[in-house]
Amino acid sequence: MDSLTSAASVVAAGLAVGLGSIGPGIGQGNAASGAVEGIARQPEAEGKIRGTLLLSLAFMEALTIYGLVVALVLLFANPFA
Amino acid sequence: MHLPFAALEVGQQLYWQLGNLRLHGQVFLSSWVVIGALLALVVVGTRSLERDPRGVQNLLEFIWVYIRDLAREQIGEKVYRDWLPFIGTLFLFIFVSNWGGALIPWKLIHLPHGELGAPTADINTTIALALLVSLSYFYAGLSRKGFRYFEYYVEPTPIMLPFKIIEDFTKPLSLSFRLFGNILADELVVGVLAFLVPLIVPLPAMFLGLFTSAIQALIFATLAANYIGEAVHEEHH
């Protein structure tokens, strides 16, 4: 791998994870705040709210994970190397 | 400094040559361990069934009820019984793979290339599982509704057709990448932390890893059941 490709790959890997975590971060914050509000209003529904929250958090986390997969491909299995 | 427990070997495989196929041997070895563990658990638990379940039988019945509730909620009362074994197998295989990869001290077994770990941390395993899910929801829809299954693509309007077709490709893609990425990320985070500080510090990351791997198994099974449920769902006119 020549040095330009490796430098570009490392920068791109950082950007993929960094930019990819902005949106899901905001989304997870929104979801958690909604869930806390729901539990405060209706403490008896806590179990159900927690289950739904965990499931939807995992969906949002998946978006960051796609960025991570791209970063891992660039670092360990770079097709342009 | 030499740290044998913290060496990371991403992208290194133990290749087995079978004809002109190249297999990732370490994935097979750890999958066999997982399958063996599950079989042993089930055989031990069902060997002497009792009316009042105790010990392993009790645990198995708890797991069965949990998976049945999951499948019934997603697939629906009428059809869920046919798909319960499939959903249950997916859930248990992924769950035991994820936890086995984190809890069994694989590093004590030395391989010439690559390292043993969770089978689900290899993209081939997760893509195979996701394609199985794709095939089974097509089969579920076609066998239950015949060619009326394709009405689903033009409902509520024919404008949705291209999106529904694209969905058939993105479903296995996101299923496989989500599982693979999460498990590999857990292993990498623990590996990097263990490389920096070998004692105590990686423990919280390990517990977080156990938690997310359990959630990922649940999500994979829930989504598989949800896709099958979508395919067999009957519109009420």
Side-chain angles (χ1 to χ4, degrees):
Chain A
M1 196 190 292
D2 68 284
S3 58
L4 184 64
T5 317
S6 42
S9 305
V10 171
V11 171
L15 285 178
V17 176
L19 293 178
S21 49
I22 295 174
I26 297 171
Q28 291 195 331
N30 278 338
S33 88
V36 170
E37 211 169 282
I39 294 173
R41 271 171 210 263
Q42 233 182 327
E44 67 274 12
E46 196 195 340
K48 213 162 190 179
I49 292 176
R50 194 197 292 122
T52 321
L53 176 71
L54 285 180
L55 208 66
S56 39
L57 284 186
F59 277 119
M60 293 176 227
E61 198 179 74
L63 301 174
T64 317
I65 298 288
Y66 298 158
L68 180 81
V69 170
V70 171
L72 290 178
V73 167
L74 285 173
L75 292 179
F76 296 111
N78 197 323
F80 307 108
Chain B
M1 194 168 61
H2 184 60
L3 290 171
F5 289 99
L8 283 174
E9 294 185 41
V10 176
Q12 304 242 13
Q13 320 286 353
L14 173 72
Y15 285 116
W16 288 347
Q17 201 76 32
L18 192 78
N20 49 9
L21 294 173
R22 268 171 115 197
L23 306 177
H24 291 183
Q26 85 277 21
V27 179
F28 278 86
L29 289 174
S30 44
S31 309
W32 290 335
V33 171
V34 167
I35 294 167
L38 278 171
L39 279 178
L41 182 75
V42 172
V43 168
V44 166
T46 55
R47 207 167 37 186
S48 58
L49 291 175
E50 291 171 46
R51 224 185 132 76
D52 297 322
R54 279 185 302 115
V56 184
Q57 191 193 343
N58 200 357
L59 175 74
L60 288 181
E61 291 194 7
F62 166 73
I63 295 172
W64 188 83
V65 168
Y66 184 75
I67 294 168
R68 184 203 58 190
D69 288 347
L70 190 157
R72 189 163 58 185
E73 198 174 306
Q74 300 295 334
I75 304 183
E77 194 69 54
K78 270 189 222 154
V79 218
Y80 84 95
R81 202 67 185 77
D82 298 342
W83 292 97
L84 186 54
F86 180 60
I87 303 296
T89 309
L90 280 178
F91 177 77
L92 287 176
F93 179 71
I94 295 171
F95 180 75
V96 176
S97 299
N98 293 349
W99 275 38
L103 293 177
I104 303 174
W106 296 107
K107 292 268 183 186
L108 297 179
I109 305 163
H110 191 72
L111 295 180
H113 291 286
E115 56 183 357
L116 291 164
T120 37
D122 189 286
I123 186 81
N124 300 304
T125 314
T126 61
I127 284 186
L129 292 174
L131 287 178
L132 273 181
V133 171
S134 284
L135 284 179
S136 49
Y137 80 71
F138 271 111
Y139 173 76
L142 286 173
S143 68
R144 184 139 183 98
K145 299 205 246 169
F147 280 100
R148 278 194 309 114
Y149 168 66
F150 293 104
E151 279 175 6
Y152 157 79
Y153 285 84
V154 288
E155 269 170 5
T157 69
I159 302 168
M160 294 300 285
L161 181 66
F163 302 106
K164 298 252 172 150
I165 292 174
I166 290 173
E167 221 175 36
D168 279 333
F169 292 97
T170 55
K171 273 173 183 174
L173 192 75
S174 69
L175 264 186
S176 55
F177 273 23
R178 180 183 303 120
L179 183 60
F180 161 71
N182 269 291
I183 304 308
L184 187 61
D186 286 339
E187 289 194 347
L188 280 180
V189 167
V190 171
V192 167
L193 278 180
F195 178 70
L196 296 173
V197 192
L199 289 176
I200 316 286
V201 178
L203 274 177
M206 286 177 180
F207 279 113
L208 184 70
L210 285 183
F211 178 68
T212 48
S213 8
I215 296 278
Q216 288 309 316
L218 174 66
I219 285 178
F220 197 99
T222 311
L223 281 178
N226 190 355
Y227 295 157
I228 293 170
E230 223 170 47
V232 296
H233 178 70
E234 294 278 1
E235 291 291 335
H236 296 290
H237 292 293

